Amino acid sequence: MGMLDGLLAQLGPNFDVANLATKLGIGKEQVEQAVHALASAHVQPGDTVQAAAQQTGLAPDLLQQIVGHIGGEGSLGRYASLIQEQAGGLLGGLDKDGDGNPLNDIAGLAGGLFGGKN
């Protein structure tokens, strides 16, 4: 989980997973799962928050609060890019569905690690 923590740390000094989880009244794992789902949905067509809500089962208003806390869509895009870079450099070949985007596959893997749906 060190790589995931490192990527989350790059969202900025104000992004503290444990603190955000406490503020929102959810578990740290749910925040991590939400951020990964949001990043995955960010690079896909459609509404980012709605897609992440479907993937995680978390309420859209809760996910919107997380987006705001991490710095908005710009920060979310930066995080999605970081995941793609890591996927290309360290985790190449994880594009299980062959769509040319390993990010959604990695987010599914991360969701499984955090107890989410695959």
Side-chain angles (χ1 to χ4, degrees):
M1 187 129 91
M3 181 181 78
L4 297 175
D5 289 335
L7 290 174
L8 287 171
Q10 292 184 41
L11 286 174
N14 297 327
F15 190 75
D16 179 342
V17 174
N19 184 38
L20 181 57
T22 300
K23 284 182 182 178
L24 297 175
I26 61 175
K28 179 182 173 188
E29 295 81 16
Q30 287 179 298
V31 171
E32 291 170 342
Q33 180 186 19
V35 172
H36 291 290
L38 287 162
S40 176
H42 183 74
V43 298
Q44 301 296 325
D47 184 270
T48 299
V49 171
Q50 290 299 323
Q54 288 177 337
Q55 183 178 344
T56 63
L58 295 171
D61 62 323
L62 186 67
L63 292 167
Q64 193 62 53
Q65 289 179 52
I66 293 171
V67 170
H69 187 77
I70 64 173
E73 292 287 329
S75 291
L76 192 55
R78 188 171 70 241
Y79 182 68
S81 294
L82 290 170
I83 290 178
Q84 285 180 325
E85 288 173 18
Q86 290 293 324
L90 299 176
L91 304 173
L94 283 180
D95 186 16
K96 294 178 185 177
D97 57 8
D99 66 356
N101 179 13
L103 181 61
N104 59 344
D105 302 298
I106 294 168
L109 173 65
L113 291 173
F114 300 125
K117 301 174 188 172
N118 284 347

